[in-house]
Amino acid sequence: MVSIDKDMKTVPGLYVNADKRDLGALDSSVAQADYWHMYQTLIGDTTDGYTGCPGIGPKKAVAILEPFTDREERPGLVDRAGAWKRIVEVYEKAKLSEAEALVQARVARILRASDYDFKAKAVKLWTPPSAT
């Protein structure tokens, strides 16, 4: 992907920021893309028209996700179910429901090939991971 939009970090694969070509191509793993998806779910993106969780900015989002990440992945989400549970707790503390957190997660999600049913020609909405 080539884009100046930081949201492309939420999609696994090769990404080049057209405004920062000197950085070269970044290769984002699924774990890294999932991290940025949950990060965006927390902080929102007013440019794209969604708010995230009130009172949560970049520093707080990093702290919330830290226990569920692996720094080897720079950062990469390794406990998706645990991260989602914590995100729901953060939303509930802000007097919002899990349903509202789910709406924010779905609008933060840039669809991946795995989010599309090619046979039915339909989008598969993102669903939270279940605890195992």
Side-chain angles (χ1 to χ4, degrees):
M1 297 171 284
V2 177
S3 175
I4 61 168
D5 193 338
K6 67 178 175 15
D7 298 341
M8 294 302 127
K9 293 194 298 189
T10 67
V11 181
L14 291 174
Y15 165 69
V16 174
N17 183 326
D19 284 347
K20 299 176 183 174
R21 288 185 295 248
D22 55 312
L23 296 177
L26 304 173
D27 192 0
S28 181
S29 69
V30 172
Q32 290 166 325
D34 288 347
Y35 174 91
W36 291 111
H37 172 230
M38 291 295 95
Y39 176 87
Q40 289 294 116
T41 298
L42 286 164
I43 70 166
D45 189 331
T46 55
T47 301
D48 290 338
Y50 65 100
T51 59
C53 187
I56 304 299
K59 288 182 181 179
K60 285 184 181 177
V62 168
I64 290 164
L65 295 174
E66 179 66 30
F68 311 101
T69 63
D70 177 356
R71 285 291 160 201
E72 298 279 323
E73 289 278 335
R74 291 178 244 110
L77 200 59
V78 293
D79 180 2
R80 290 162 181 82
W84 179 250
K85 182 179 177 196
R86 180 68 182 118
I87 287 168
V88 170
E89 291 169 357
V90 169
Y91 270 80
E92 288 174 343
K93 187 175 178 183
K95 308 287 188 228
L96 297 170
S97 67
E98 181 175 2
E100 182 59 28
L102 181 59
V103 167
Q104 295 298 301
R106 285 179 170 166
V107 297
R109 178 82 167 189
I110 294 179
L111 295 181
R112 305 173 186 177
S114 60
D115 298 326
Y116 190 76
D117 181 335
F118 288 91
K119 195 171 194 174
K121 297 184 179 175
V123 170
K124 297 184 283 184
L125 293 177
W126 182 84
T127 56
S130 57
T132 53

